[in-house]
Amino acid sequence: MTQTEPGRRERKKAATRLALSVAARDLFLERGFDNVTVAEIADAADTAVSTLFAHFPGGKEALVLGHGRAREESLAAAVRDRAEDVSILQALRDFLATRGPFDPDPDPLSRRVADLVVATPALRAYARTLWTGCEDALTKVIAEQSGQDDFSVRLLARYVLEIPDLVGVEPDPGAALDAAFTFLRRGWPEF
């Protein structure tokens, strides 16, 4: 076994997390988020409620949206790993354009999940918390990449992270995303 291959225990944990996520997603899509209990999800995944909370301490919302670490890492990577001729704001816009309600060509299941999140207040609130929880990481990578480290960098990061919640509910989320970044470019043309 190499360093990069997960051991048996890690594979079993990943399988349990996947089973819980799939069971929750299927139940939520069938009956609605508010009409499903964690006990029903655990039962559908053939696990205990305590196991569900061990893997998803954020509860039902985390079963749909995960936790912030992967989001934070991929957001920072979008800025850090962008092509030399791509601005920071363009990299962030392009990253968001592939997510949830902004994805122009989602598979049917992804579209249903995005619609569920947008239509469910608890999920929208949790999603917003996940996005805004990336503020420190995004501020840091923008500062590193731009050579600027002042209040305006944190302000830009905060504005970018509010976009999914603000414009994701618009009738045309993709057009609203583009409009939001048009405004940001006016305020931060150097990014």
Side-chain angles (χ1 to χ4, degrees):
M1 178 169 70
T2 67
Q3 289 279 80
T4 59
E5 291 179 23
R8 180 176 182 210
R9 184 174 182 183
E10 289 77 26
R11 287 192 312 269
K12 288 181 81 173
K13 285 181 179 181
T16 299
R17 280 191 299 275
L18 179 61
L20 286 162
S21 291
V22 169
R25 181 199 65 211
D26 292 349
L27 288 168
F28 294 154
L29 290 174
E30 177 185 325
R31 297 182 6 216
F33 181 80
D34 294 324
N35 299 319
V36 177
T37 67
V38 290
E40 290 170 319
I41 296 165
D43 187 52
D46 197 26
T47 65
V49 171
S50 60
T51 301
L52 182 149
F53 282 111
H55 288 284
F56 295 94
K60 286 173 42 174
E61 294 84 359
L63 285 157
V64 177
L65 296 166
H67 55 76
R69 284 186 301 268
R71 183 181 309 249
E72 192 174 277
E73 291 167 5
S74 58
L75 187 60
V79 173
R80 190 180 309 105
D81 301 338
R82 72 190 193 286
E84 193 173 307
D85 62 335
V86 174
S87 70
I88 291 171
L89 283 172
Q90 187 63 45
L92 289 167
R93 183 248 166 244
D94 293 347
F95 173 79
L96 289 176
T98 65
R99 310 286 294 214
F102 307 115
D103 187 347
D105 191 30
D107 63 81
L109 183 59
S110 295
R111 171 55 54 210
R112 289 181 65 208
V113 171
D115 290 346
L116 174 72
V117 171
V118 168
T120 307
L123 288 172
R124 273 196 63 208
Y126 187 76
R128 183 173 184 261
T129 299
L130 290 176
W131 282 114
T132 59
C134 298
E135 183 180 328
D136 288 342
L138 184 57
T139 299
K140 181 180 176 189
V141 74
I142 291 173
E144 289 169 356
Q145 294 293 305
S146 68
Q148 296 186 35
D149 190 13
D150 59 21
F151 176 69
S152 70
V153 174
R154 180 165 296 283
L155 192 59
L156 174 60
R158 172 84 52 96
Y159 283 146
V160 167
L161 296 171
E162 291 289 350
I163 288 173
D165 184 55
L166 288 172
V167 304
V169 295
E170 290 294 313
D172 184 347
L177 178 68
D178 289 337
F181 274 92
T182 295
F183 286 113
L184 290 178
R185 284 185 193 96
R186 289 180 191 154
W188 286 274
E190 69 275 19
F191 291 99

